[in-house]
Amino acid sequence: MKPIRLNIRQHILDTAKPIILGKGFVAVGLNEVLQAADVPKGSFYHYFKSKELFGEALIASYFEDYLLEVELLLKANSESAATRFMQYWNGWLTSLADKDMQCQCLAVKLAGEVSDLSEAMRLALHQGTDRVIGRLAQCVEEGRADGSLPTSLDAAVCAETLYEMWFGASLLTKLRRDPSALECAMRSTKQMLGLST
């Protein structure tokens, strides 16, 4: 007897995420996702009118989950904002090392692949990454306020610059299959923030 699933739409998205992280969006056929999710094709088209709209929903769902994780990591607690901010970047470094240099970030995986294929998916990626950068900028502001980060930092510029650097370093890590780009990003991050290297 099959288990009852209350949210089939979310189940399809959750099932698809690791498959697409492994193979990319274009290479994955709908039948592969539907087989893995154990749902009929009709169910897919009930929730998603096309593969493109499915991709857009997948990206939106990914960022909703990701931003919840970021919020848990960066929210104010007894640690300084600088410590919480660095824990975020340490997470990038260790997650790739733990996964044999295979990036687990759907934004990194899909940005180059779908940005020219689908305007809707490009916009979903753009909006999601902007929200992440905005939350990082808030943490920098908190660090300026609590004295753990230099007051000379422009929070918005700092957050955007660091996110762009780590995003690019993640792509280079996929190419090189070694952590050198991420290690360089970490050194540059500490230097920018005036932290000991």
Side-chain angles (χ1 to χ4, degrees):
M1 185 173 173
K2 290 182 184 178
I4 297 171
R5 295 188 189 97
L6 298 178
N7 192 336
I8 295 172
R9 180 183 187 275
Q10 191 60 48
H11 173 66
I12 294 169
L13 293 171
D14 292 343
T15 302
K17 182 183 152 194
I19 298 170
I20 289 172
L21 269 171
K23 295 182 176 181
F25 185 76
V26 175
V28 174
L30 294 181
N31 286 337
E32 182 176 0
V33 171
L34 296 174
Q35 272 190 328
D38 193 25
V39 296
K41 191 174 268 191
S43 291
F44 178 89
Y45 286 109
H46 174 74
Y47 296 106
F48 313 103
K49 301 303 178 201
S50 67
K51 188 178 179 188
E52 179 184 29
L53 291 175
F54 160 71
E56 182 183 7
L58 179 70
I59 292 165
S61 175
Y62 168 77
F63 276 110
E64 286 304 316
D65 292 343
Y66 184 71
L67 282 158
L68 287 174
E69 292 175 20
V70 171
E71 185 57 40
L72 284 173
L73 187 65
L74 297 183
K75 72 179 180 180
N77 57 33
S78 59
E79 296 179 320
S80 70
T83 298
R84 290 180 273 124
F85 195 58
M86 288 309 298
Q87 286 172 350
Y88 176 77
W89 305 117
N90 278 317
W92 277 54
L93 187 62
T94 57
S95 69
L96 280 160
D98 291 346
K99 300 288 184 181
D100 296 323
M101 303 302 127
Q102 294 300 313
C103 184
Q104 299 302 299
C105 176
L106 197 66
V108 171
K109 181 71 174 184
L110 297 185
E113 181 184 1
V114 302
S115 291
D116 293 333
L117 298 176
S118 166
E119 183 65 6
M121 291 175 72
R122 184 192 70 77
L123 287 172
L125 285 164
H126 188 353
Q127 291 162 358
T129 55
D130 279 354
R131 288 175 65 197
V132 174
I133 292 167
R135 183 57 186 94
L136 293 171
Q138 183 183 335
C139 191
V140 174
E141 285 287 5
E142 293 166 9
R144 293 176 62 197
D146 72 15
S148 62
L149 290 174
T151 56
S152 59
L153 286 175
D154 180 311
V157 171
C158 176
E160 186 165 3
T161 300
L162 290 177
Y163 188 81
E164 289 169 356
M165 178 173 62
W166 282 86
F167 200 95
S170 296
L171 289 171
L172 286 172
T173 299
K174 286 166 57 76
L175 291 174
R176 296 175 182 169
R177 296 282 194 257
D178 72 49
S180 59
L182 291 169
E183 290 165 353
C184 181
M186 181 59 79
R187 289 191 297 273
S188 299
T189 298
K190 289 179 178 179
Q191 185 175 32
M192 179 183 286
L193 299 177
L195 303 174
S196 58
T197 52

